[in-house]
Amino acid sequence: MGSVLAASSPSPQPPSPASGGLAPPMLTVPSGFGMPSVSPVSPSTGVTPVPPQEEESALPNPGTFDECHRKCKEVFPMQIDGVRLVVNKGLSNHFQVNHTVLLSTLGDSSYRFGATYVGVKQTGPAEFFPVMVGDMDNGGSLNAQVIHQISSRIRSKVAFQTQQHKFVNWQGDAEFKGKDFTATVTLGNPDMLAGSGVVITHYLQSISPALALGGELMYHRRPSEEGAVMSLVGRYTGTNYIATLTLGSAGAHASYYHKANEQLQLGVEFEASARMQDTSVSFGYQLDMPKANLQFKGSVDTNWVVGATLEKKLLPLPLSLVLSSFLNHNKNKFQCGFGVTIG
């Protein structure tokens, strides 16, 4: 009797949060309003049928093979040799240029001019394509690459390099992103006449929301040499840590990244090279102090190389200062650098 009264006198529905307006006339009563939902009973058997289980959520895309160890590497400081001045200037919403002056005490001083163009094709909240990046130094050496999102799942990249007006290297990448995997093919320095070139394939598959497995196969050929190198990778992502292991005929590479809190990040790397017959372990950390606009990075490895960088942003000015120092205890060698970035 209560069901009949409830059906004949429906109560007004609240506005739908998805549409932002008034809800249409009530057809069914949602849970939490009016009658509680009751599963129908089969008149023949008198047994309440079990509703089908909801399908498991799809696995996430694991990213690319090259990004497996990137999170840990970002914790370690980058060495600056001498004095470096970088000036960035945005000419429009799609075009930006930069000037880099490097004054070195060990090598030659140099000047580099770079330009970046970002297209109008938007594929995400902050992703626009095509992207063209290039820079040239005072000696005529050029580095350039073009990245374009061909479709929602296919991305391509072409990069080439010249040194002192001589063409030395070029490669082309094709990346396909599936719902739970990423496959990449790279072709480097192909020469059909000489029969030489390098082909690299990457594949990374999500096994679970936290675990991803994949591999790399590199094939190279020259007139007097031919060979292939294969390696496997596994990455496990926790709530605040990432553990990655790469094993192959060339050696082993393991990394562990841990985010202790909003200010402190830690990273440990282990590298073993079969060709060089050498192993090393590195420990690095990054300390962020947002209120002071400071970022400190430090590292130490088994070769007794200690390094640190200190970066200070002078807000509201578009200016940042970087101080870098590295000390090699075995070679009794000390290097110090200072950098200024404007824009």
Side-chain angles (χ1 to χ4, degrees), residues 254-276:
S255 66
Y256 177 80
Y257 165 82
H258 186 86
K259 186 175 183 180
N261 50 48
E262 294 298 329
Q263 290 77 34
L264 181 60
Q265 304 177 59
L266 307 173
V268 181
E269 270 194 316
F270 168 80
E271 293 184 273
S273 176
R275 183 174 62 88
M276 302 295 297

Side-chain angles (χ1 to χ4, degrees), residues 294-310:
L294 279 175
Q295 183 183 89
F296 183 82
K297 294 183 178 181
S299 67
V300 60
D301 59 20
T302 52
N303 296 322
W304 295 109
V305 178
V306 181
T309 59
L310 178 64

Side-chain angles (χ1 to χ4, degrees), residues 39-57:
S39 300
V41 179
S42 176
S44 58
T45 61
V47 179
T48 302
V50 179
Q53 296 182 354
E54 296 182 358
E55 296 182 359
E56 297 182 357
S57 59

